[in-house]
Amino acid sequence: MFWQIIAANKRKTVLLILLMGAILAALGFFVGEAIAQWSVYSAFEMAREAEQIEPAYQVGMIGLGVAFIIWLVLLLVSLFGSDQLFLSMAGAREITREMYPQLYNVVEEMKIAGSLPKIPKIYIVDDPAPNAFALGKSPEKSMVCVTAGLLAMCNRDELQGVVAHEIGHILNRDVLYLTVAATMLGAITFIADAFWRTLRYAPAGRYRSSRSGKGGVAALLIMFIALFLLILSPILSRILYFSISRRREYLADATSARLTRYPEGLASALEKIMQAPAKLSTAPAATAPFYIVNPYKQDLSGGMFATHPPLEQRITILRSMTMGAGFADYVKAYWTITHTHKPLIPAADLQLGEKVEVRQPSSAGTAVTPSAAVKKAGDIIRAMNNFAFINCACGMKLKVPPEFTKREINCPRCNRLHKMPASDQNTIAATLAASAALSQPEGNEPSQEVPAGMTKPSQPQVEKRNPGAWQNFVCQLCGNAIQISPAFGLKEVKCSKCNQRIVFE
């Protein structure tokens, strides 16, 4: 853990709040003065003339007050309500251990490896594009979110690398800093946009005669300062906001390699994300730095406005870690690939890192083609949205939306009548297990694992066959429902879930 970086992030968060507050204050004051000089409403101008009060200072203070209120409200939102707002915008849904034990176990493993005090809440985002992000102001209140596309595409090693990367952001307190920065950027952009709309649609009032001479020059100067701040503030704030995540991505990659002891896992996942054709549709532009890869793929070539380091460079650094998976190994690879010796990790934190050997890859998971991944991601999204799945004996897989209210449905291929199953956590768990690449063994073969609490019998299951009729029975080992058509003529069949042999008499 990078203790100096964590302490620096906490200090920078406070400084960022004060800096953005000062920018908002100046922006609000000069915008208010500019509105006064522009004289938006003639009725207000006549009231000023009757009272013989110079309006610019008063309206400037009003603008300052409005900016302060906006800053305070958005700061409170960023500290106490931004997580739920972000999850709502992303379309994320929380899952439990019962719904997806494989993913839950991966997050739990990385939580133990990273010494988090509490396991993060786990969310799945309804989007076929592979990506992930983390939320939470502290390790005690954190969340890890992965998209359906990532689950459909990544095996266990790759998913471990992605989850460990996000836990690295949580450990380093990056999420709090990014959340505050995003909120302050939103406030500055909001004030600038509101003023531009005011100038665009509001008619100019008439100037007072007392504004001639020095008063007219002062009015023009105020207008110039306001316009300068309106143009420059959002640009500088956006540059600052987009640049703060670049070094953090390197540090999170280093943390992932250290926690998993397998840098190739994250490298392979990043490569799959880079090559995926789908673009994340649920991510607003202002939230791009939160994701492991820019949802709009703007980080592939770097640049001033890039939210992340070049993706190919990150992959190359990870794959250059052949001698170890520790922080020192990552720094050496970083220096070699980037041709620089800039301090990435403070020397004091770097000395705390022990030698970490690279482990061998696990055998959990299988390669998935892009077209198959999109199809599997669609099934995961439908399952999370309470679709009912029916496997017909003719080979057709029916995916029925929750709006369908009838109790029975006919297969469109063979016209066989099916009863509508109830959509519950067990249905979602079964669909996730069948659709996610994490759950599939190598070679696309049926899983040989026996559910907890069961032992694989030495003898095959025996069932009585009724020739010429449809027949339904349940696997005694795993409880999987099996249906046999009248045309089935073999003497035995294997359960598609546990591979148990079932022999017919």
Side-chain angles (χ1 to χ4, degrees):
M1 189 177 295
F2 310 125
W3 296 109
Q4 290 190 8
I5 294 176
I6 292 173
N9 281 342
K10 291 180 179 179
R11 293 192 300 269
K12 290 178 181 178
T13 301
V14 176
L15 292 175
L16 179 65
I17 293 173
L18 298 177
L19 176 62
M20 290 293 187
I23 294 176
L24 278 173
L27 191 61
F29 179 81
F30 283 104
V31 164
E33 295 241 355
I35 291 176
Q37 302 300 333
W38 191 260
S39 301
V40 178
Y41 301 103
S42 59
F44 177 61
E45 184 172 303
M46 288 187 292
R48 287 189 280 106
E49 290 179 355
E51 296 177 7
Q52 297 296 318
I53 297 176
E54 184 64 30
Y57 175 77
Q58 287 189 346
V59 179
M61 294 304 296
I62 292 174
L64 178 62
V66 171
F68 174 77
I69 293 174
I70 294 174
W71 173 79
L72 182 61
V73 170
L74 292 181
L75 178 60
L76 293 176
V77 169
S78 68
L79 295 177
F80 300 104
S82 59
D83 293 342
Q84 294 304 319
L85 180 62
F86 196 117
L87 293 172
S88 178
M89 289 191 300
R93 301 170 185 270
E94 186 176 3
I95 65 167
T96 60
R97 182 191 293 271
E98 292 72 24
M99 293 171 63
Y100 198 2
Q102 296 93 338
L103 176 59
Y104 195 95
N105 289 341
V106 168
V107 177
E108 192 171 36
E109 289 171 0
M110 296 301 99
K111 171 258 179 186
I112 295 172
S115 300
L116 282 178
K118 184 179 179 182
I119 184 169
K121 293 183 178 180
I122 307 171
Y123 289 81
I124 294 179
V125 179
D126 293 347
D127 203 293
N131 221 313
F133 61 89
L135 294 174
K137 312 304 181 300
S138 65
E140 291 78 12
K141 298 179 180 179
S142 57
M143 298 159 232
V144 172
C145 309
V146 296
T147 63
L150 189 77
L151 292 176
M153 186 176 293
C154 292
N155 60 29
R156 187 179 185 87
D157 284 332
E158 294 163 349
L159 192 60
Q160 273 187 340
V162 172
V163 170
H165 174 99
E166 300 306 330
I167 286 182
H169 282 306
I170 296 171
L171 289 172
N172 298 336
R173 305 302 195 276
D174 295 334
V175 179
L176 175 60
Y177 191 27
L178 284 173
T179 302
V180 172
T183 304
M184 296 298 104
L185 172 63
I188 293 174
T189 305
F190 172 78
I191 292 179
D193 183 68
F195 180 71
W196 284 120
R197 290 178 183 272
T198 300
L199 292 185
R200 181 177 179 181
Y201 295 108
R206 51 192 175 83
Y207 284 97
R208 294 173 57 183
S209 58
S210 62
R211 292 179 187 167
S212 59
K214 294 183 179 180
V217 174
L220 290 175
L221 181 60
I222 290 173
M223 288 290 294
F224 175 77
I225 294 175
L227 291 174
F228 178 77
L229 286 175
L230 284 168
I231 295 172
L232 190 62
S233 295
I235 295 176
L236 292 178
S237 300
R238 192 171 293 272
I239 292 175
L240 171 65
Y241 175 55
F242 282 162
S243 65
I244 58 178
S245 69
R246 297 173 197 168
R247 184 191 178 203
R248 303 171 195 281
E249 293 303 321
Y250 288 125
L251 295 176
D253 287 350
T255 304
S256 174
R258 170 65 182 83
L259 295 182
T260 62
R261 298 184 295 113
Y262 187 61
E264 175 60 28
L266 178 59
S268 179
L270 293 176
E271 188 174 50
K272 288 184 176 181
I273 296 173
M274 179 178 65
Q275 296 173 351
K279 179 187 290 187
L280 200 66
S281 60
T282 57
T287 63
F290 285 84
Y291 288 85
I292 188 172
V293 172
N294 188 305
Y296 302 100
K297 307 296 177 71
Q298 295 169 343
D299 58 315
L300 298 182
S301 59
M304 181 181 296
F305 289 95
T307 60
H308 297 64
L311 191 52
E312 291 184 353
Q313 187 181 83
R314 293 169 62 189
I315 295 172
T316 306
I317 292 173
L318 289 166
R319 286 181 170 162
S320 299
M321 299 175 64
T322 57
M323 304 303 295
F327 295 140
D329 301 294
Y330 186 89
V331 171
K332 291 178 182 178
Y334 171 81
W335 286 346
T336 302
I337 301 303
T338 60
H339 305 289
T340 180
H341 281 75
K342 293 181 180 179
L344 180 66
I345 299 175
D349 291 333
L350 194 60
Q351 292 173 0
L352 296 176
E354 69 279 10
K355 180 65 177 178
V356 180
E357 298 294 336
V358 177
R359 66 170 174 83
Q360 293 297 315
S362 67
S363 59
T366 182
V368 181
T369 62
S371 58
V374 172
K375 183 178 179 180
K376 290 177 179 292
D379 287 345
I380 294 174
I381 294 172
R382 293 184 185 96
M384 296 298 294
N385 286 275
N386 299 319
F387 273 62
F389 292 80
I390 302 174
N391 293 315
C392 185
C394 69
M396 173 69 72
K397 186 175 184 179
L398 283 68
K399 305 170 185 179
V400 187
E403 293 79 13
F404 188 84
T405 57
K406 295 182 180 180
R407 296 183 178 180
E408 296 178 330
I409 187 173
N410 291 94
C411 174
R413 176 183 292 176
C414 67
N415 205 36
R416 181 171 178 81
L417 188 65
H418 297 273
K419 291 184 178 181
M420 285 295 299
S423 180
D424 52 17
Q425 283 196 358
N426 293 331
T427 303
I428 297 175
T431 304
L432 289 173
S435 302
L438 169 66
S439 309
Q440 304 299 324
E442 292 287 353
N444 291 323
E445 294 294 330
S447 175
Q448 304 292 328
E449 295 183 1
V450 179
M454 298 184 183
T455 57
K456 192 167 185 176
S458 58
Q459 299 297 326
Q461 178 179 337
V462 179
E463 294 287 342
K464 186 176 181 180
R465 180 76 173 97
N466 296 325
W470 288 93
Q471 189 172 356
N472 297 302
F473 52 89
V474 177
C475 176
Q476 296 176 357
L477 180 61
C478 66
N480 185 36
I482 301 174
Q483 187 178 56
I484 300 299
S485 72
F488 187 81
L490 300 179
K491 293 184 179 181
E492 67 176 49
V493 68
K494 286 186 177 182
C495 174
S496 61
K497 187 173 182 180
C498 68
N499 214 29
Q500 163 72 351
R501 289 179 60 226
I502 302 171
V503 179
F504 301 114
E505 292 182 341

